[in-house]
Amino acid sequence: IRQHYVLAVLYYSLNGDKVVGERHRWKHQDLWLSNQTSVCDWYTSSVYRYGSSGICHSGLIEVLNLHNNNMDGTIPTELGHLVSLKKIDLGINYISGTL
């Protein structure tokens, strides 16, 4: 539940819910905020699988890749609650804040 909460805060903080024209601002947001799936299944490129272990180990997010996803806003402090996170890529977006 904590991971769902943190990623939901991230989604809203970086304007994932905004619509520009007829499209959502984020390029890739498949299954984001879905309560039907594990966070490990939310857009498989943004929470992407690497090596043989994938991004989640025992259901905990280890890698978060939101590179070049047309995000803007401020990185929420709640991101620090993803205690298993080992790698994050937020490059080529319009965001501010510190990790």
Side-chain angles (χ1 to χ4, degrees), residues 7 10-17 24-29 32 46 64-75 88-96:
L7 292 183
L10 180 72
Y11 181 80
Y12 288 112
S13 295
L14 299 181
N15 294 307
D17 61 322
H24 284 278
R25 179 164 184 84
W26 282 21
K27 292 179 185 177
H28 308 288
Q29 61 174 359
W32 274 75
S46 61
L64 186 61
N65 179 12
L66 293 166
H67 181 86
N68 194 20
N69 202 28
N70 203 34
M71 301 182 304
D72 75 293
T74 304
I75 299 168
I88 186 168
D89 186 348
L90 300 172
I92 309 182
N93 285 293
Y94 309 96
I95 57 178
S96 61

Side-chain angles (χ1 to χ4, degrees), residues 12-81:
Y12 288 112
S13 295
L14 299 181
N15 294 307
D17 61 322
K18 301 296 183 219
V19 176
V20 178
E22 294 182 14
R23 302 185 68 174
H24 284 278
R25 179 164 184 84
W26 282 21
K27 292 179 185 177
H28 308 288
Q29 61 174 359
D30 301 355
L31 299 177
W32 274 75
L33 305 184
S34 171
N35 61 0
Q36 303 299 315
T37 62
S38 161
V39 293
C40 298
D41 295 326
W42 291 6
Y43 181 63
T44 56
S45 252
S46 61
V47 186
Y48 73 109
R49 307 188 188 296
Y50 71 101
S52 59
S53 63
I55 59 91
C56 288
H57 185 352
S58 299
L60 298 174
I61 297 172
E62 292 183 346
V63 176
L64 186 61
N65 179 12
L66 293 166
H67 181 86
N68 194 20
N69 202 28
N70 203 34
M71 301 182 304
D72 75 293
T74 304
I75 299 168
T77 58
E78 287 85 353
L79 200 57
H81 294 291

